[in-house]
Amino acid sequence: MNLNHKHLVQEQFDTDTRELAELAKALGHPARIMILRELLLRRVCVCGEIVEVLPLAQSTVSQHLKALKEAGLISGTVEGVKSCYCVNPEALKRLSKLLKPLFDWAENPNCC
Amino acid sequence: MNLNHKHLVQEQFDTDTRELAELAKALGHPARIMILRELLLRRVCVCGEIVEVLPLAQSTVSQHLKALKEAGLISGTVEGVKSCYCVNPEALKRLSKLLKPLFDWAENPNCC
DNA sequence: AGTTTTTATCGTAAAAATACGATAAAAAAA
DNA sequence: TTTTTTTATCGTATTTTTACGATAAAAACT
């Protein structure tokens, strides 16, 4: 496999496909799902209480937060010494929109 | 990191969380999104025409098909020398159900 | 019977993801 | 000012993912 073959391969797909894949990938780990759930549960944007909820080291949680942030699913602001995160509704709406054709089909499948 | 530490970590999350993560992970690659799209497009279950549509080697496509199958998103039947796949609507419905709380929140967020 | 077609699997290499501890950096508290 | 708290990042080890070519196995032609 070439040095950045994967990168070249990814570019062959259209934007929507790549965007959906990226959002889905960000949701593709139980820790990150839990983070989103926790952020939704506590009405206000929370910070490192997430670490206490998850069975993972602080550095690992920080890494997962970064992944969610890079996918646009959450945004974080520095609040003094603490770091506050919240779910980005727009990203979820986008994901919903991208998945809609699949879900619509599932309600009325024409095969199998 | 312990030998199967990751496995132990994954077990600490509840079933719904793990199920959602697994389904999302399966969708977390543009090639697999394309496969689903292609299966939906052609009304009847198709087989290896997928290979022709994707910019990937046959063996790689086969691997992606396996991943989707293992996640329950598609099912495949052998039709003579050919292999026929189709999307499993139940899996998509399940994914939709698991994502609904997130999407509902996004329509009426209470933060940010 | 021999050849072709179709697809899954094996072997393998490179890259990415996952996890942790250690540490740095900045704000807050003492 | 020193210490503590909080969080991001670095370094690193391990595992998983992604990709390919080669090959095997089974059905379908010739």
Side-chain angles (χ1 to χ4, degrees):
Chain A
M1 187 157 60
N2 206 308
L3 249 176
N4 48 2
H5 189 182
K6 199 202 162 184
H7 191 243
L8 290 172
V9 164
Q10 300 262 13
E11 280 181 349
Q12 305 221 257
F13 298 99
D14 64 292
T15 318
D16 273 16
T17 300
R18 271 167 17 199
E19 199 179 350
L20 176 50
E22 217 171 293
L23 286 167
K25 195 176 189 177
L27 295 179
H29 193 286
R32 293 195 288 269
I33 299 287
M34 283 296 285
I35 290 173
L36 291 181
R37 287 238 177 85
E38 203 60 27
L39 289 177
L40 256 57
L41 209 69
R42 319 189 174 220
R43 299 180 62 263
V44 195
C45 315
V46 277
C47 6
E49 295 128 311
I50 301 161
V51 175
E52 304 207 343
V53 182
L54 296 180
L56 293 165
Q58 180 267 322
S59 58
T60 307
V61 173
S62 211
Q63 226 171 320
H64 283 302
L65 284 166
K66 194 181 175 188
L68 286 168
K69 206 170 165 184
E70 277 173 356
L73 281 163
I74 65 173
S75 43
T77 50
V78 182
E79 206 98 348
V81 75
K82 303 196 176 177
S83 215
C84 260
Y85 289 97
C86 60
V87 179
N88 182 1
E90 293 312 312
L92 285 178
K93 278 194 215 168
R94 180 80 183 123
L95 176 61
S96 177
K97 198 172 184 177
L98 288 165
L99 284 173
K100 195 168 184 304
L102 295 178
F103 291 164
D104 284 350
W105 174 88
E107 290 304 322
N108 202 3
N110 54 11
C111 146
C112 304
Chain B
M1 186 158 62
N2 205 309
L3 248 175
N4 47 1
H5 191 181
K6 200 204 157 180
H7 190 243
L8 290 172
V9 164
Q10 299 261 12
E11 280 181 350
Q12 306 222 255
F13 298 100
D14 64 292
T15 320
D16 274 15
T17 300
R18 270 162 26 194
E19 200 181 348
L20 175 50
E22 216 171 293
L23 286 167
K25 194 176 189 178
L27 294 179
H29 192 287
R32 293 195 288 270
I33 299 287
M34 283 297 285
I35 289 173
L36 291 181
R37 286 238 177 84
E38 203 59 28
L39 289 177
L40 255 59
L41 209 70
R42 318 191 174 217
R43 299 181 62 264
V44 195
C45 317
V46 277
C47 6
E49 295 130 311
I50 301 162
V51 175
E52 303 208 343
V53 181
L54 296 181
L56 293 166
Q58 179 267 322
S59 58
T60 306
V61 173
S62 212
Q63 226 171 318
H64 283 303
L65 285 166
K66 195 181 175 187
L68 286 168
K69 207 171 164 184
E70 276 172 356
L73 280 163
I74 65 173
S75 44
T77 50
V78 182
E79 206 99 346
V81 76
K82 303 199 177 174
S83 217
C84 259
Y85 290 96
C86 60
V87 179
N88 182 1
E90 292 312 314
L92 285 177
K93 279 194 215 167
R94 179 81 184 122
L95 176 62
S96 177
K97 199 173 183 177
L98 289 165
L99 284 173
K100 194 169 184 302
L102 296 178
F103 291 165
D104 284 350
W105 174 88
E107 289 305 322
N108 201 4
N110 53 12
C111 148
C112 305

